[in-house]
Structure formats: C-alpha cells, structure tokens
Amino acid sequence: MAVASSQRKRTPESAAIRSANVPPLHRRPAWALLDQHYQKLKRVHLRQLFADDHRRGERLTSEAAGVYLDYSKNRITDETLQLLLQLAQESGLRDRIDAMFRGDKINVSENRSVLHVALRAPRGATILHDGRNVVPDVHAVLDKMADFSARVRSGQWKGQTGKRIRNVINIGIGGSDLGPVMAYEALRHYSDRRMTFRFVSNVDGTDFAEAVRDLDPGETLFIISSKTFTTLETMTNARTAREWLLSAMKGETAAVARHFVAVSTNTKEVAKFGIDTTNMFGFWDWVGGRYSMDSAIGLSTMLAIGPDNFRAMLGGFHEMDEHFRSTPFERNLPVLIGLIGIWYNDFFGAQTVAVLPYEQYLKRFPAYLQQLTMESNGKHVTLDGMQVDYDTGPIFWGEPGTNGQHSFYQLIHQGTRLIPCDFIAFTKPLNPLGRHHDMLIANVFAQTEALAFGKTADQVKAEGTPDWLVPHRLFEGNRPSNTILLDALTPAALGKLVALYEHVVFTQGAIWQIDSFDQWGVELGKALAQRIIPELESATEPKLEHDSSTNALIRRYRKLKGAV
Ligand code: G6Q
C-alpha cells in the first residue's frame, strides 16, 4: 500500500541518506576489482578449490544464533570474499544498518522509517521513531493480542449463538496474507489441533467459497488483516464474509462484533466496516506489509500456536537482528549470503535463486520469500532516482525437498543456466518416523555434493557406459549452493530464518543503493483494474479507450458473460 505520488516528499533527512557519499556501483573501487577477479575465477572448478584447501568445508562456514551456514560450495575464494566485504564497506552497509535501527527514514520514496526490528525488540528496549520510543507500543499490542488469543483458545470468547470459536479465517493479501499462511504452515506442529485455520486472499470468489464451505458460521472468526483497510481484494472478501455470517444469523448485525476482528492502521475504515474498534489490533506505518508477520498481522499465528510460542518466535527474530546489527561482516550470516548473492547476480549473470527447504512444514516458505525478496529488490532506479546499469533483485523460487528433486532439479544439474541454491535443513525431525529423517538429510547433502562436484566423463565411462551415452550422463558440476542447517523447526528457529532473509534483502539493497521498502510497481495494474471493473459491469456498451487488444478482450468477455 503505497502513498500517492503527490505525497512523495524529499525531506532533508532522506536527501542525506541518498547522498551518503556512496559512489555509483560501477565507480566503487571494489567493483572493478571484482570484475577483474571474476575473469580469473569464472573457469575455476569447485573441484579445484576443494582440492587446493582440504579444510575448505570447515573454514568457509559461519555459525550464529543456532544457524550454521556452510558457504564453501560457492565459486569463491578468500580473495572473492575480501573484495565483496570491501564492496560492502564502500557501499556504506554499516551506516545503512545503523540508519535502519536508528529509525531514519530509509524508505525514501515513501518518506518512512523501516522499523520491523522494533516489532521483536524485548520489553524494556528503546527504539525511537520521530523521538518516541515505540517498544512500549509494540508490547501493548502484543499483550492485547495475547489476551484475545487466550480468550478465544480457551473458549471464553463466544460467537453470537453462544458457541466457542473453532475456525479462524484470516482475510488479507500480499504482506497481510503470505506471512500468516507461511507461519501457520511452518508452525502447525505447535498449533491447537482442535481449531481450523484458513486463509483467504484472492478476489477470485473460489478462494472464499472453498474456505467456508464446510464451516459453521456460529463457530467462525474472521480476522480482516489490512494495513490500509482499503485493499480491493481484502475488502471484497470481508464484505462477502459479513454477508455469509449475517445470512446465517438472520441479519443480526450485532453478530459482526463477535465474529470479526481487524488488524489495521486505519481505525476510521475499521469502524466504518462495522467492526468494534476495541477488537482492532494496530500497527504502524513504519512496518512494511512484507515485513509484518511478527506484528498484529500475525494474530492468526498467535491464535494457532499461543502467545508463548509467538513470543518465542519474536525472540528468534531478535536474536538474528542482534547478530546482523553487531557481528563483523566476515562472520555475519545475512551479509555473507547477501554478498555471495551479489557475486552470482551481477558477475555470473545468474537470473534466479532456488530456495529449497528440506522440511515439509516450510512448504510455503519459498512463496513467502518471493514477496520478501522480489517486491523489495525488484527495482530499476537507485535511491536518487537514477536508472541502474546493473541487475538488481534475482527471481526467487523453490519447493520443498525431496519433491523438487523429482521435477525441476534436472535443469539445475544439467541445464544451461547457473542457479545458485539455498538448501535449508533441520537436524532434528518434528515427526520422527523410522529412517525418514536420515533419508531426507542424506538427500540434502547428496544434492549439494552432486551440484558442486558433478561426475566426469571418465567416471561415467568407468561405470561401463557406452561412449554415445556418456555426454547425457555426465554432470559438469561447479553449481553453487549454500547449506543452512538449524536444530529443529521451532517458533524461534522460524523467526531466525525469516530475519536472516530480511537482512539478506537489506544487504543487497544497500549494495545496489535501491529502496527495498517501497513497491510502486504494484500500483499501475491496480489503477487500471479500477478503470476496467465498471467497463465489465456496465449495463450499456461502454466507450472503450484502451489499446485494441484490451478493448477486444473486454468486448469478448462482456459478450460471453451475456452483458450485451
Ligand atoms: C507488502 C505490500 C503489499 C501489501 C498488500 C496488502 O509489502 O505492501 O503486499 O501487504 O497490498 O495491503 P493491505 O495490508 O493494506 O491490505
């Protein structure tokens, strides 16, 4: 939810951030050095790098906050790392981290602070926004959420007909949906299994219809999650939900207060919708949508796993925040992952990054990361509004292992594109079943080994493969990956993992000197849809002034739906 362009202000503070003595990327000395270095390294094989240093697999690792990162299977040397760290320094990464934690308005195009780190600051901490400590406000909302969650989970909170709440439906989209869905799925192991949780985001009526078809309205609570409370999809679904409830409650409008709560920054619109604002959970304009799963937007998560687990998750986030803020860059996990990502994106020309969690509960993690990374760093101008002359955010994608191995891994192993991969795994299973977990983890290690080292023609021949088949069966290897290992998927571990990627995004945005916290790219399509809706619905033939393709599609749709 971006502010209108007329509200875009150039404040002295944001101007200072933009011109913080950081030269354009190509003029930073480390950039040219990295370019020269790339020319030397691009043909060096990981086999060689491992043969040259028998301790590489132990040396090129870092561990913090219970997260172990093995980055040795990357096409880097000590010199690469040193140059990348120099680049981070020349890019003012340290100053930008400090500026974020200080509450500076680093989201320059919206003139906003970026303070999701305050959402997980411990009680008693001080983080200032416009001179005011926001940490007590954060904890006041968390306490209110905890109180509400306890009442719903215990059955004390009753629906209109006196039944306890058994179903919770979060209605929201984008940042007000992807985090809650991902977190619910990820932490399902810890959830109250007597309750049903569903998530409705799409304006496609199927999403709502399928979510409620087997539910009793008397036992159903809707959380309308929308920072702005004006988003087309969410408000359309919220109105449909109200009709669904009221038709079961014989039009008894008092039922809305028992079955609807809101998470928003917009009290006026919440009240206008008919939700009792005492049942509204607030947050602030310094929390971006895709950085909001640990704010009140996480109410569904708290209802599912309970307040204590939710606070444990916040603890995990905070641990990673502190690591990012205070650890020297050469051991700093988000900085290392971020810089290695820059190396592939901007020197090797890699277009995508695959994120491969070997943990079924993380099945929605890649989808969540797609928004976090691509909405944040899919930018074409610098903070100063200059067109970039280098590639910014790569395409993120992925699926849980081992499923992906039986579909798209073929292309990663033998295709023509370089696809850096992040393998994520947990040493302890949440559902120990016979040998399953050893088999799962064996596959993680096997995949990274196969990608890095491949299989030479000689090895293939030695297996008795006929000559004509050898090219098909060889693996060239030299395909890079990170391995990220944690202990078990606890609420705290999830917090650490999400914060890790938030700060990877931050690191890369600082190098590229872009605004990772706005999302103007979603505006144009939204505005055009608002223009087209009445054209589709009009009882009379509308005067169409689009291009010939769009006009013809609108006419065809109207004809087929019987509008004319
Ligand atoms: C995320 C974006 C966007 C936003 C949705 C929903 O960073 O801002 O995905 O979360 O458009 O917005 P509302 O919460 O205002 O409905």
Side-chain angles (χ1 to χ4, degrees):
M1 64 271 85
V3 292
S5 57
S6 58
Q7 283 172 262
R8 182 174 164 167
K9 282 192 218 142
R10 297 216 149 197
T11 64
E13 186 183 17
S14 61
I17 290 162
R18 286 198 304 274
S19 58
N21 291 330
V22 177
L25 188 51
H26 288 158
R27 284 209 249 119
R28 286 171 232 161
W31 193 261
L33 296 172
L34 276 162
D35 202 26
Q36 289 163 19
H37 176 68
Y38 167 71
Q39 299 308 326
K40 279 189 291 173
L41 203 67
K42 66 182 178 191
R43 281 190 198 84
V44 177
H45 202 288
L46 279 166
R47 287 184 204 123
Q48 187 63 48
L49 296 175
F50 272 83
D52 290 348
D53 172 6
H54 292 284
R55 290 195 54 251
R56 182 180 169 94
E58 289 137 50
R59 230 168 35 77
L60 299 191
T61 64
S62 190
E63 186 168 10
V67 180
Y68 178 80
L69 168 68
D70 174 353
Y71 57 96
S72 64
K73 292 191 184 89
N74 280 295
R75 294 170 66 173
I76 56 172
T77 61
D78 291 342
E79 188 185 350
T80 325
L81 277 174
Q82 197 203 320
L83 291 173
L84 287 169
L85 291 165
Q86 183 185 330
L87 179 67
Q89 197 218 331
E90 289 168 5
S91 305
L93 177 59
R94 168 55 54 209
D95 288 348
R96 283 190 72 74
I97 295 173
D98 292 344
M100 172 169 71
F101 279 85
R102 220 173 28 230
D104 291 4
K105 299 205 158 90
I106 60 169
N107 176 356
V108 294
S109 78
E110 294 180 311
N111 193 31
R112 286 181 180 162
S113 303
V114 174
L115 275 178
H116 44 274
V117 292
L119 297 171
R120 50 265 191 155
R123 230 183 264 279
T126 301
I127 297 185
L128 299 177
H129 175 254
D130 285 342
R132 175 189 166 82
N133 182 12
V134 296
V135 178
D137 301 346
V138 166
H139 283 272
V141 174
L142 284 171
D143 291 344
K144 185 174 169 182
M145 289 163 65
D147 176 59
F148 176 72
S149 299
R151 282 192 287 151
V152 172
R153 285 162 62 88
S154 68
Q156 194 191 331
W157 177 285
K158 299 274 190 289
Q160 178 71 4
T161 57
K163 293 184 183 172
R164 68 181 288 168
I165 298 298
R166 295 188 192 281
N167 317 309
V168 174
I169 301 188
N170 184 77
I171 294 183
I173 196 163
S176 300
D177 168 69
L178 286 159
V181 183
M182 182 278 288
Y184 171 67
E185 292 294 344
L187 301 177
R188 209 178 182 141
H189 184 75
Y190 306 89
S191 71
D192 183 337
R193 301 300 179 127
R194 294 165 305 173
M195 294 176 75
T196 297
F197 288 83
R198 301 218 172 127
F199 300 84
V200 174
S201 53
N202 202 333
V203 77
D204 181 340
T206 297
D207 207 8
F208 182 81
E210 286 293 339
V212 299
R213 60 179 301 132
D214 56 346
L215 301 186
D216 173 355
E219 298 181 336
T220 303
L221 175 78
F222 290 98
I223 305 173
I224 312 302
S225 296
S226 177
K227 183 169 166 179
T228 54
F229 231 71
T230 56
T231 305
L232 172 88
E233 292 89 339
T234 302
M235 297 326 296
T236 305
N237 278 318
R239 281 190 288 271
T240 301
R242 189 171 52 188
E243 281 162 25
W244 178 78
L245 175 81
L246 291 181
S247 71
M249 300 290 158
K250 303 187 175 59
E252 193 59 64
T253 48
V256 173
R258 307 302 310 159
H259 293 268
F260 279 77
V261 297
V263 178
S264 188
T265 56
N266 192 342
T267 316
K268 206 166 121 226
E269 287 298 321
V270 169
K272 219 159 99 190
F273 183 86
I275 294 178
D276 182 350
T277 49
T278 51
N279 298 329
M280 169 179 162
F281 301 85
F283 60 118
W284 307 271
D285 76 351
W286 42 261
V287 183
R290 55 194 174 275
Y291 296 88
S292 68
M293 62 168 272
D294 45 350
S295 70
I297 289 290
L299 183 61
S300 57
T301 315
M302 193 189 270
L303 282 163
I305 64 173
D308 290 348
N309 279 323
F310 193 85
R311 286 187 199 278
M313 179 183 82
L314 297 183
F317 270 103
H318 180 66
E319 233 185 295
M320 187 54 73
D321 291 343
E322 283 303 293
H323 166 73
F324 180 54
R325 193 176 62 80
S326 59
T327 307
F329 289 165
E330 61 271 21
R331 284 186 285 113
N332 193 310
L333 304 179
V335 173
L336 288 168
I337 296 176
L339 291 175
I340 292 169
I342 297 266
W343 177 233
Y344 295 124
N345 191 73
D346 293 298
F347 294 93
F348 284 79
Q351 304 236 340
T352 81
V353 175
V355 180
L356 309 164
Y358 279 63
E359 169 53 73
Q360 188 59 24
Y361 285 123
L362 287 182
K363 65 180 180 193
R364 296 289 289 166
F365 193 64
Y368 171 79
L369 269 194
Q370 283 186 324
Q371 183 189 27
L372 179 65
T373 58
M374 288 157 66
E375 199 162 52
S376 296
N377 283 343
K379 304 292 159 66
H380 71 133
V381 292
T382 63
L383 295 163
D384 288 315
M386 305 297 288
Q387 176 82 34
V388 298
D389 52 359
Y390 43 84
D391 277 324
T392 59
I395 299 155
F396 272 72
W397 59 288
E399 277 288 321
T402 58
N403 295 7
Q405 291 175 204
H406 298 263
S407 68
F408 55 78
Y409 278 38
Q410 165 65 36
L411 185 146
I412 307 181
H413 282 285
Q414 285 191 317
T416 54
R417 296 172 193 280
L418 181 80
I419 302 180
C421 301
D422 286 354
F423 286 81
I424 301 169
F426 297 84
T427 53
K428 293 201 185 78
L430 294 179
N431 295 294
L433 276 181
R435 299 170 61 215
H436 283 249
H437 200 64
D438 288 344
M439 290 182 187
L440 178 73
I441 299 302
N443 274 280
V444 177
F445 300 158
Q447 289 298 326
T448 64
E449 188 177 18
L451 286 167
F453 302 102
K455 197 171 184 183
T456 63
D458 288 344
Q459 287 171 315
V460 178
K461 275 184 207 155
E463 290 170 349
T465 308
D467 282 357
W468 67 270
L469 196 52
V470 170
H472 296 274
R473 300 198 54 173
L474 76 79
F475 291 72
E476 66 186 16
N478 216 14
R479 297 175 186 231
S481 65
N482 288 312
T483 304
I484 299 168
L485 273 184
L486 296 94
D487 189 33
L489 179 51
T490 58
L494 182 70
K496 290 171 193 179
L497 203 54
V498 173
L500 172 73
Y501 279 99
E502 286 177 348
H503 300 319
V504 167
V505 166
F506 184 95
T507 298
Q508 298 186 333
I511 307 289
W512 292 320
Q513 288 286 299
I514 55 178
D515 188 337
S516 302
F517 303 101
D518 61 9
Q519 58 281 315
W520 298 100
V522 302
E523 295 298 316
L524 178 60
K526 274 201 231 173
L528 290 178
Q530 287 296 355
R531 181 176 156 201
I532 293 173
I533 292 167
E535 293 171 345
L536 299 183
E537 291 180 332
S538 155
T540 56
E541 185 67 42
K543 186 167 180 302
L544 298 177
E545 288 176 344
H546 304 272
D547 59 278
S548 61
S549 160
T550 310
N551 286 346
L553 289 165
I554 292 172
R555 281 193 205 102
R556 185 175 179 82
Y557 176 81
R558 283 180 55 85
K559 192 163 160 219
L560 292 176
K561 80 167 196 166
V564 284

